[in-house]
Amino acid sequence: MFYRESGIFKTSYAADMAVLPLPGTRWLLAALAALFIVVAPATLDEYTLSVLNLILIAVVGAIGLNILVGYTDQVSIGHGAFMSVGAYTAANLITRLDAPFWIAVPAGGLMAALIGVVVGIPSLRIKGLYLAISTLAAQLIIEWVINHTAWVSGGTQASIQVPPPSVFGTKLVGAWQIYLFLMFFVVLAIVAAQNLIRSRIGRAFIAIRDQDIAAEIIGIDIFRYKLLAFAISSFYAGVTGVLYTYYLGIANYEQFQLDVSINFLAMVIIGGLGSTLGPIFGAVFVTLLPIVSRRALEFVGGFFVERADLANYVPSLRLAIFGGLIIFFLVVEPEGLNRLWRNIRTWFRAWPFSF
Amino acid sequence: MPDVDWQFTIVLISSGLMIGLMYSLIALGFVLVYKATDAINFAQGEFVMLAALIAAAACAAGLPFVVAVLLSLAGMIAFCFGLERVVLRQLLGRPTIAVIMATIGLASLIRGFATLTFGPGVLAIPMPVGDDPLFLGPVMLPPVQLVGAATSLLFLAGFTWFFLKTRMGVAMRAVASNQTVSMGMGINVPRYFALAWALTGIVSALGGVIWGAMLGVDNQLPLVGLKVFPVVILGGLDSIVGAVVGGLIVGVVEALAAGYLDPLVGGGTKDFAPYVLMIVALMVRPYGLFGRRRIERV
């Protein structure tokens, strides 16, 4: 983990562009893959795996949002709504047309991308906070429309039950089966995002982020690339919605409300904008935070108040801890967990001869 | 009968205007901070709730209404000063999104603590104005709304005077227009940042007392904050006049939507009709009705 090269010895452009610059990283990745794909599902219990599943779903969404917020610098507070578009598209396809997962997942993503492009259209004229609020408007409007259109939302209570996905005729019901199913999409999402950013499209995104007028002057079609960023990002969001639906076995608009949009924004910002590792850190952090803090509160609080009383305090305490930690991290390290991680690695780079 | 319809419209518009004035008051807090410090306060609704809770707790403790309002004012000013010093000053010069996220975090912090300290129930702020509505022709005006609208008007006028005539107000406008130049002219910029937050505290305290008296104080009160966004965006983020006009427009649109659209589509239009209007307005004027157009250079 802490092996680094002692200087820059790259002699070709290809070496400079390599995704895995050091041979050791390859082994590290292989070890991580073995750990997460083979060892984890075989050894962990049902509950831990279901928590891991939640993290995996969040990773897909966070990586997608990072393409928009971190690389293109267009804020979206409407990602929860894009997820619901994906979720309901997939749920309707599955229940009405009996669609398999390899149709439902991309279809949900494409539908969300379509809606995302429509929401992204104002980004040509408006920027910054104005854009952020217009995506907030999109969140509220999409939520309302889905909830009030029985044809989409399945009538009463706006929820649609979905059977588990089946792969090669096997229904995936156990936590470890869902885990591997989700892991497939996570790996796909990471590889796709990593390569997208290295491509012409990714470079255009970064140019727009750094100075959009300058980007326009050097010949980047801003409108096209901004909409593309919205499309790709909402595609990820749509897929996240479908995965979430498969995981829960139900599509329900209450799972995709404003607080979800804000949670995903928190993941990207706390994790660190504009990197692939950042959103993963953020997704782990934000997903684990409520679970860990509830455990901790139940443990510590047990000494002070009755167990029955505790249930009244835990939700609000969790909310307060969530807010407090976000502020704490922003004040201590505004560039996110990824920056902390990089600082640690830089420190170890010349260790033990730092001076 | 056509004239019944006409009366109904008048009633809707008048109550919309009064609610709108109260939105303007809260929106003013948002605009003040954005103008002076370029920070975006997503916790405005929670500020309002916090102020209302302080006032409600003081009333529940048996203190007279005026004392409760003063306590709430003092509490909010102290809170905003502290907040600026501890959190927001550290984020100066950081990307806007970091400040947005910090205020979002602040929002959930306040929400969590409010429920912990004051309990989940609904508290009341009894305003000593009675319950008998005032009748003006067909229009019925509840006294709480009247007081709210009057206070809002008074303070909006007061703030306009403050910005146009006082030394501090002029200095604040200078800071808002160019921080570097005002620093060079000998203005203590960080002090005016703190002042902007303190003014937001005052506005939130007043808004909290008024909204709390009208709706009751519970954890639903911050939802008022969600209404502030269309108000400020419509009016333009950096315009005080814009906040007033935006508030009035949003108030009226909301009332009309609730009166005419809700029966047709089955409720809930009140919450998003202002947002639809806002998006349409943004397409035509991307900087709001009164917002300053920023000239961008490479």
Side-chain angles (χ1 to χ4, degrees), chain A residues 82-101:
Chain A
F82 299 152
M83 288 174 198
S84 68
V85 170
Y88 279 105
T89 309
N92 278 311
L93 281 176
I94 294 164
T95 48
R96 287 176 198 214
L97 302 175
D98 215 11
F101 80 93

Side-chain angles (χ1 to χ4, degrees), chain B residues 3 9 15 17 32 34 56 63 84 102 107 115 125 184 189 195 214 256 261 267 275 289:
Chain B
D3 68 339
T9 313
S15 87
L17 284 175
L32 283 173
Y34 182 77
L63 296 169
E84 198 273 339
T115 332
I125 302 178
V189 172
L195 182 70
M214 207 160 70
L256 290 179
L261 289 180
Y275 278 98
L289 297 176

